[in-house]
Amino acid sequence: MKSAVFLLTFYFAGAYSEQLCDYPPSDWCSTWEIAKACKVEQQCIEYHSRKDFLKSNDPAVQVELYYESLCGGCRKFLVLQLFPTWLMLNEIMNVTLVPYGNAQEQNVSGKWEFTCQHGPDECYVNTIEACVMHHLKEIPSYFPVIFCIELSSNVTSALGPCLAAYQPDLSVKTVMDCANGDQGNKLMHENAMKTDALNPPHEYVPWVVINGKHSDSLQDRAMSALFNLICETYTGPKPDACSGKAVTPMKRDSVCLN
């Protein structure tokens, strides 16, 4: 897995909005020349030296997030809890993002039509994010883009700048052709089916599933200290990051009810 772990340092330093080099963060440790150009040589050495240690037969912690792109609580959880935790612990956790949430779908003349809790703009951004995931395939490639969109002050117009910053090889046109076409419609229907199949059924978003399970206690732990929860849940050798504690409390009322 390509690592985006070094973004965390720059993010908390307030420099996440600046171009640090001419390469996306996912490529910073791909070659020594790129590491030097991006001034992360030492971090890359440390990363590669611990990869073998962290290899384990113990399964990674599976984290599924069911969310809406314009839900304030969803955005806060993704930006302040899930993305920073993934940056530090991506070796021991797998993340699945399902943008749909409390939306409703209806088949009209063979095509799915969606009604979203926060209006048409939310359906629009949900579909854009689903298409970004579809085209970039792997979470190290698309998660920084989704994070960037959800962090933006204007979520509906964030696609272009976020692709330019993190995945310049993927064009806005390619994503929009997907979002406005049959592929985007199909992807959102698939997300609807995944969301509707939740057991227990979701009552609000963000709705967090850990290793296939959801409970009030797991949800509360995830909302208050996801980083600590992942470290405690993982049964293999703990990465160095787990020796500390990372807590960004969120109140349970930071949700969008179904």
Side-chain angles (χ1 to χ4, degrees), residues 13-57:
Y16 58 87
S17 62
E18 298 177 6
Q19 290 279 15
L20 298 174
C21 62
D22 294 330
Y23 301 92
S26 58
D27 290 344
W28 284 356
C29 289
S30 60
T31 70
W32 184 245
E33 289 74 16
I34 293 177
K36 289 178 65 176
C38 297
K39 303 185 186 303
V40 290
E41 302 99 307
Q42 186 59 40
Q43 293 95 323
C44 289
I45 290 172
E46 293 173 358
Y47 168 70
H48 284 295
S49 67
R50 64 194 173 115
K51 282 177 69 177
D52 290 337
F53 172 75
L54 290 173
K55 287 181 180 178
S56 169
N57 291 326

Side-chain angles (χ1 to χ4, degrees), residues 121 123-132 134-135 149 155-160 163 170-185 187:
D121 282 350
C123 289
Y124 169 73
V125 180
N126 286 348
T127 309
I128 285 174
E129 293 188 356
C131 286
V132 167
H134 171 73
H135 280 286
I149 292 173
V155 176
T156 59
S157 62
L159 177 64
L163 286 179
L170 178 61
S171 70
V172 172
K173 182 181 184 304
T174 297
V175 175
M176 294 311 301
D177 285 348
C178 168
N180 293 323
D182 292 340
Q183 184 64 62
N185 194 257
L187 292 171

Side-chain angles (χ1 to χ4, degrees), residues 43-242:
Q43 293 95 323
C44 289
I45 290 172
E46 293 173 358
Y47 168 70
H48 284 295
S49 67
R50 64 194 173 115
K51 282 177 69 177
D52 290 337
F53 172 75
L54 290 173
K55 287 181 180 178
S56 169
N57 291 326
D58 296 89
V61 181
Q62 306 296 317
V63 181
E64 301 167 42
L65 173 63
Y66 296 81
Y67 72 103
E68 300 167 346
S69 59
L70 297 188
C71 166
C74 298
R75 296 177 65 190
K76 184 177 179 182
F77 177 77
L78 190 150
V79 168
L80 295 181
Q81 290 278 358
L82 185 57
F83 186 72
T85 298
W86 175 80
L87 284 177
M88 291 184 286
L89 301 178
N90 61 75
E91 298 95 339
I92 65 169
M93 64 185 291
N94 293 327
V95 174
T96 300
L97 302 175
V98 184
Y100 184 77
N102 299 327
Q104 301 291 326
E105 68 172 358
Q106 182 179 7
N107 192 314
V108 179
S109 301
K111 185 174 181 178
W112 294 102
E113 293 185 357
F114 302 96
T115 303
C116 294
Q117 185 171 23
H118 300 93
D121 282 350
E122 183 166 79
C123 289
Y124 169 73
V125 180
N126 286 348
T127 309
I128 285 174
E129 293 188 356
C131 286
V132 167
M133 297 179 207
H134 171 73
H135 280 286
L136 293 176
K137 308 296 184 186
E138 303 293 336
I139 196 158
S141 298
Y142 66 69
F143 202 1
V145 179
I146 303 302
F147 163 78
C148 178
I149 292 173
E150 293 298 328
L151 178 67
S152 301
S153 58
N154 189 340
V155 176
T156 59
S157 62
L159 177 64
C162 291
L163 286 179
Y166 294 106
Q167 288 294 339
D169 290 339
L170 178 61
S171 70
V172 172
K173 182 181 184 304
T174 297
V175 175
M176 294 311 301
D177 285 348
C178 168
N180 293 323
D182 292 340
Q183 184 64 62
N185 194 257
K186 176 184 176 183
L187 292 171
M188 290 313 300
H189 174 55
E190 291 173 354
N191 284 353
M193 291 192 295
K194 291 176 184 176
T195 304
D196 291 343
L198 284 168
N199 185 18
H202 82 285
E203 301 171 4
Y204 49 80
V205 288
W207 187 262
V208 183
V209 178
I210 306 291
N211 285 341
K213 298 179 180 180
H214 175 91
S215 66
D216 288 345
S217 60
L218 279 174
Q219 179 78 25
D220 288 342
R221 287 294 314 281
M223 294 285 281
S224 64
L226 179 66
F227 178 93
N228 297 344
L229 176 61
I230 299 304
C231 286
E232 293 167 11
T233 302
Y234 183 61
T235 57
K238 309 293 185 184
D240 292 343
C242 285

